Amino acid sequence: MRRSVELQIITEALSKLGPHTPAARIWGRAPGASNEAGASGNVWAADVHDLAVHIVTRLYGRPSAAEAASPLAQAEGYKRARDIVGEIGALTGAHDGLTSAPWHPLRPGDLVHIAYEQAGDMAPFGETHIVANAGGGLMSMKLLAHTARAEDAEGMVGCFATEAADDPLYEAWFEAGPQRLVVVRDGLVVHNGPGA
């Protein structure tokens, strides 16, 4: 979590460089070479976010597995460390992150894609669900398609499908994690967890 704060600070600082705010790309000159006009270095350009990620990675290393953990796994880590404040913070932060999203709650017709990483011999795969009205103010989330191998599919595919729930995304948000979810509404991606 700390790394994401540092990334945000560096991204904001880079985006406010120079007279043009916010900057979309940053240009520079690499040392050691010269052009026809006698200026040294080759010209380079980078997106602000990509440059910020590069700086944070050089300063603090690659993100740890804990940063990619689901809210439930984070809470369990804090619980093992006997950190009740961290445990409650991980759970309430995930709840607030979901319920305060501008696209929340889900609507009938929304598509939810869940990406699963490789686990042991099981190959990585994805599954796509469609949200529907289940009646009585409840919503369902039904499996549409998946890319799991036949030998991996049984017992794994569709585990987050729900027939009727107040918030059919809640379980997937906490257990798989928002970083593994993509929500599409009316053909537009409204939450891109893997791309965040």
Side-chain angles (χ1 to χ4, degrees):
M1 195 61 113
R2 175 145 175 81
R3 185 178 182 276
S4 64
V5 171
E6 291 151 343
L7 177 61
Q8 180 182 1
I9 292 168
I10 291 171
T11 301
E12 288 174 3
L14 291 173
S15 68
K16 294 179 180 168
L17 284 175
H20 305 290
T21 303
R25 293 183 67 73
I26 295 178
W27 300 81
R29 186 172 297 281
S34 61
N35 63 16
E36 304 83 39
S40 63
N42 294 326
V43 175
W44 57 268
D47 291 327
V48 170
H49 177 74
D50 293 342
L51 183 57
V53 168
H54 176 75
I55 292 169
V56 168
T57 302
R58 294 292 299 241
L59 289 173
Y60 306 106
R62 299 209 181 276
S64 68
E67 289 182 277
S70 70
L72 190 59
Q74 291 175 26
E76 289 173 357
Y78 286 119
K79 185 175 185 176
R80 281 190 301 279
R82 299 187 182 275
D83 180 354
I84 188 72
V85 174
E87 181 182 358
I88 292 171
L91 296 173
T92 57
H95 169 82
D96 294 346
L98 173 60
T99 58
S100 67
W103 48 265
H104 186 268
L106 292 177
R107 298 181 194 158
D110 286 354
L111 298 174
V112 177
H113 182 79
I114 305 170
Y116 296 94
E117 291 181 347
Q118 180 173 346
D121 293 335
M122 185 181 72
F125 72 96
E127 59 184 30
T128 303
H129 299 261
I130 188 164
V131 177
N133 187 343
L138 302 176
M139 305 294 280
S140 67
M141 195 164 80
K142 299 177 183 179
L143 181 67
L144 279 180
H146 67 84
T147 60
R149 299 181 306 195
E151 60 267 27
D152 297 333
E154 189 173 335
M156 273 302 298
V157 172
C159 64
F160 292 116
T162 60
E163 289 187 26
D166 289 333
D167 191 341
L169 190 60
Y170 208 79
E171 188 176 350
W173 188 269
F174 276 81
E175 291 187 27
Q179 75 278 9
R180 307 231 184 285
L181 304 175
V182 175
V183 179
V184 178
R185 174 171 294 157
D186 301 330
L188 298 174
V189 175
V190 293
H191 173 78
N192 186 3

